[in-house]
Amino acid sequence: MPRRRRGGRVCALEGGREEEAPPAAAAVPSALWASQLQPEAAAGQILLRGIFEIGRSSCDVVLSERALRWWPIQPERPAGDSKYDVQCKEEFIEVKDIFSVKLKRRCSAKQQGNGTLLGITLFICLKKEQNKLKDSTLDLINLSEDHCDIWFKQFKKILAGFSNRPKSLKVILNPQSHKKEATQVYSEKVEPLLRIAGIKTDVTITEYAGHALALLRDCELQEFDGVVCVGGDGSASEVAHALLLRAQKSAGKETDSLLAPVRAQLPLGLIPAGSTNILAHSLHGIPHVVTATLHIIMGHVQAVDVCTFSTTGKLLRFGFSAMFGFGGRTLALAEKYRWMSPNQRRDFAVMKALARLKPEDCEISFLPCISSHAVQERKAEGSPKSDGANPWQTIQGPFLNVSIMAIPCLCSVAPRGLAPTTRLNNGSMALIVARNTSRPEFIKHLKRYASVKNQFSFPFVETYTVGEVKVRPRSNSGYNPEEDNGQHSAAPEKSFPWNVDGDLMEARSEVQVKLHPRLINLYGGSMEEMNDSKVTCNCL
């Protein structure tokens, strides 16, 4: 019987010799072989070889250190008949794309025990278009218990060798994110994949603002390999802030005068379940839940730059991006209408802020950065890095909006990013200022973010690449939200709203924003970001 012959053809090669093209693949032309099998996948030693049914074909299957390869078993061809050359097409997957293996069984209601063995199922992470990842399966059908047991154990051994992949995760879930869909997103899309991958989870559902911060400050994290946040930008930023504060405390750092913070001890995974998902979108290149989950499962880690926000020498928080002026006022307005849906609240706040558009008189000092390529050119020319003058530059006047961003800030309303020239870890921030102009011109500038045109090609918009920024308001009164209700009473204290990663931060005086390269590891990373990760900047 063919099924029995499959069991007899398995072999485990001891000692591991260099892999050679098997006889069954001899009919494959060399050009086709080269196009199907990449050099890095072809290298390695043979671990197992046997016969499985894949699809509806009996296949010769070879497992090496780097790849699983298979091709249909063909009958002996007549001399000179070339039609089998096309049919005998080799296929392969790289073992690094496998994230789980299970024994495939058929169970019936009347049957006792584990059911009838059908073979082995491999769970695979596939790369699709536009940075998207997709989970898939490959069934290796063989009815032999001994045959499948050998292969199953070898696959488990290979998977155990990926030490970068998490085995236990602390999950923080915000049930109020977006349309209160975070719980459903996790239970239907995230948790099933984590369970298949064999990852243990401990889930905490947050109950109030600041809950994640309080939880991560005190809970034990030694048993976890990483932390996962299921929520929007505010939740993700709060968890990142909490992990970094915990790292400073563990290192004995004083957060009131934090000059050189230490890195977070655990990587953070971001599952997009909010209204804008700027952090997850910038990290993965796409706000896709399955993509984010697979990056976590596969242990893909990206070091990301982080900013500290301080005032009068005291740390306010860690963050990735901030807006002052129009961006801060819009968020302050939106926070007053939490009873609205997220999209309605955002649109209403934007319209109301535009209706009451006014500039903020302030002084902005910044420390410019130059690219590493420019530094090399200066060294080659013998030019000093600095001529001894004060490297800080200052601009002042009325500004409608000030943006300071250490990440590209991709989102649905700005598909190219609010700061398209910034990368996740190039050691610099984008400082984007919009000086005072007419309301129609400012609206044109905002609309450009959603188009393919350059949103910065306006005479009132200036951009700088910086490593540190100080924003000092020069007006005597801060923002009074009561003015938006038609009341013009003076604010009890001078306070200026900032939008930091979608969270409202209020400051009464100068705010200093400083970049700290690669301060936290995040699970994920788009292909563009991984390719550009070597591009760095240097502050003067």
Side-chain angles (χ1 to χ4, degrees):
M1 294 290 291
R3 299 280 189 190
R4 292 177 184 173
R5 288 205 307 272
R6 292 190 192 106
R9 284 287 300 274
V10 65
C11 61
L13 301 184
E14 299 179 359
R17 57 181 173 82
E18 278 300 309
E19 193 173 332
E20 299 177 355
V28 182
S30 59
L32 180 59
W33 181 288
S35 64
Q36 290 297 311
L37 194 58
Q38 300 173 359
E40 61 267 23
Q45 297 175 328
I46 294 178
L47 302 175
L48 290 174
R49 183 175 179 182
I51 296 179
F52 288 92
E53 183 179 309
I54 300 178
R56 295 185 177 182
S57 302
S58 294
C59 296
D60 197 353
V61 184
V62 172
L63 175 63
S64 66
E65 292 176 324
R66 299 187 183 180
L68 178 74
R69 303 158 44 212
W70 66 93
W71 46 91
I73 298 175
Q74 300 290 342
E76 186 175 348
R77 59 176 178 155
D81 191 345
S82 61
K83 68 179 181 179
Y84 292 105
D85 293 349
V86 178
Q87 296 174 353
C88 188
K89 182 179 179 181
E90 179 184 295
E91 297 182 72
F92 78 96
I93 58 172
E94 296 184 67
V95 295
K96 66 181 179 65
D97 294 330
I98 302 171
F99 66 87
S100 186
V101 57
K102 307 286 183 184
L103 290 174
K104 183 179 180 68
R105 297 183 182 274
R106 180 194 293 123
C107 300
S108 62
K110 298 180 180 179
Q111 193 173 11
Q112 297 181 352
N114 296 325
T116 303
L117 178 70
L118 299 179
I120 296 172
T121 297
L122 301 178
F123 295 86
I124 308 162
C125 174
L126 298 179
K127 299 177 181 67
K128 307 297 284 186
E129 70 285 348
Q130 297 179 343
N131 296 307
K132 184 179 291 186
L133 299 182
K134 179 184 177 182
D135 61 297
S136 185
T137 59
L138 177 68
D139 290 329
L140 308 178
I141 303 301
N142 191 298
L143 303 184
S144 169
E145 291 273 0
D146 294 338
H147 182 63
C148 289
D149 183 63
I150 293 173
W151 281 75
F152 178 76
K153 289 180 178 178
Q154 186 62 57
F155 279 120
K156 295 291 284 186
K157 182 179 179 181
I158 291 173
L159 292 178
F162 294 111
S163 57
N164 60 315
R165 297 184 181 180
K167 298 176 178 60
S168 180
L169 294 170
K170 178 64 183 178
V171 179
I172 310 293
L173 189 152
N174 180 4
Q176 301 299 319
S177 291
H178 193 36
K179 300 178 181 178
K180 302 183 179 181
E181 297 173 345
T183 303
Q184 182 180 358
V185 166
Y186 179 76
S187 61
E188 293 182 2
K189 297 183 178 181
V190 180
E191 195 274 337
L193 283 174
L194 297 180
R195 185 174 63 250
I196 289 172
I199 298 175
K200 298 178 181 179
T201 57
D202 182 74
V203 182
T204 296
I205 299 177
T206 57
E207 300 175 356
Y208 53 87
H211 188 182
L213 181 62
L215 174 73
L216 293 174
R217 182 180 58 223
D218 302 322
C219 74
E220 295 292 333
L221 295 178
Q222 288 85 350
E223 61 183 287
F224 301 110
D225 300 313
V227 176
V228 173
C229 174
V230 185
D233 290 320
S235 303
S237 181
E238 180 183 340
V239 173
H241 174 61
L243 288 174
L244 286 164
L245 278 183
R246 183 187 180 101
Q248 311 319 307
K249 182 180 178 181
S250 299
K253 293 270 187 176
E254 289 290 339
T255 56
D256 285 347
S257 56
L258 196 60
L259 298 177
V262 298
R263 297 182 65 181
Q265 297 164 332
L266 292 177
L268 171 62
L270 306 178
I271 303 296
S275 54
T276 54
N277 302 306
I278 287 177
L279 291 177
H281 198 155
S282 299
L283 177 64
H284 308 304
I286 182 172
H288 189 243
V289 172
V290 172
T291 296
T293 305
L294 288 173
H295 276 304
I296 295 169
I297 290 172
M298 304 301 288
H300 299 159
V301 173
Q302 181 92 321
V304 177
D305 298 341
V306 180
C307 307
T308 51
F309 297 84
S310 308
T311 183
T312 62
K314 182 179 180 180
L315 176 70
L316 296 175
R317 62 172 298 155
F318 291 95
F320 300 94
S321 65
M323 286 186 285
F324 174 78
F326 175 78
R329 291 171 182 266
T330 302
L331 180 61
L333 274 170
E335 289 298 307
K336 295 170 55 182
Y337 300 93
R338 276 282 173 182
W339 52 271
M340 291 184 178
S341 69
N343 291 338
Q344 287 179 329
R345 185 170 67 244
R346 180 193 63 200
D347 294 343
F348 178 79
V350 168
M351 295 300 294
K352 199 163 186 177
L354 284 173
R356 297 180 177 274
L357 184 66
K358 67 175 184 178
E360 195 68 65
D361 185 27
C362 57
E363 179 182 279
I364 302 173
S365 302
F366 57 90
L367 190 63
C369 286
I370 58 174
S371 67
S372 55
H373 177 70
V375 171
Q376 295 299 325
E377 287 185 344
R378 286 191 178 190
K379 290 182 178 179
E381 295 171 357
S383 301
K385 185 175 181 181
S386 175
D387 57 3
N390 184 5
W392 285 82
Q393 296 182 19
T394 301
I395 56 176
Q396 54 188 351
F399 297 95
L400 289 176
N401 190 69
V402 179
S403 298
I404 306 167
M405 299 175 175
I407 61 175
C409 292
L410 304 176
C411 60
S412 58
V413 297
R416 295 188 301 117
L418 300 176
T421 60
T422 307
R423 294 294 178 263
L424 294 175
N425 52 19
N426 65 341
S428 68
M429 301 181 292
L431 170 62
I432 306 165
V433 298
R435 292 184 180 271
N436 193 24
T437 187
S438 66
R439 183 182 291 107
E441 285 298 302
F442 186 67
I443 292 175
K444 286 182 183 179
H445 163 61
L446 296 181
K447 286 183 175 180
R448 283 277 185 93
Y449 282 97
S451 71
V452 295
K453 296 181 180 179
N454 184 1
Q455 63 262 42
F456 307 130
S457 59
F458 292 90
F460 58 89
V461 177
E462 301 170 13
T463 62
Y464 305 90
T465 302
V466 301
E468 193 169 348
V469 182
K470 297 176 183 178
V471 179
R472 183 175 66 86
R474 298 193 297 185
S475 60
N476 295 324
S477 60
Y479 173 67
N480 183 4
E482 296 300 327
E483 293 179 1
D484 297 302
N485 292 330
Q487 304 175 19
H488 297 279
S489 59
E493 287 186 84
K494 183 170 64 174
S495 181
F496 298 91
W498 285 72
N499 181 340
V500 179
D501 300 331
D503 268 352
L504 183 63
M505 181 186 80
E506 294 187 351
R508 299 188 181 95
S509 58
E510 177 183 275
V511 172
Q512 181 177 3
V513 186
K514 185 176 182 180
L515 184 89
H516 302 277
R518 301 171 179 262
L519 201 58
I520 191 170
N521 284 332
L522 300 183
Y523 284 116
S526 67
M527 293 307 297
E528 288 83 355
E529 285 293 348
M530 291 178 178
N531 292 337
D532 293 338
S533 62
K534 294 182 179 179
V535 179
T536 59
C537 293
N538 297 270
C539 294
L540 294 176

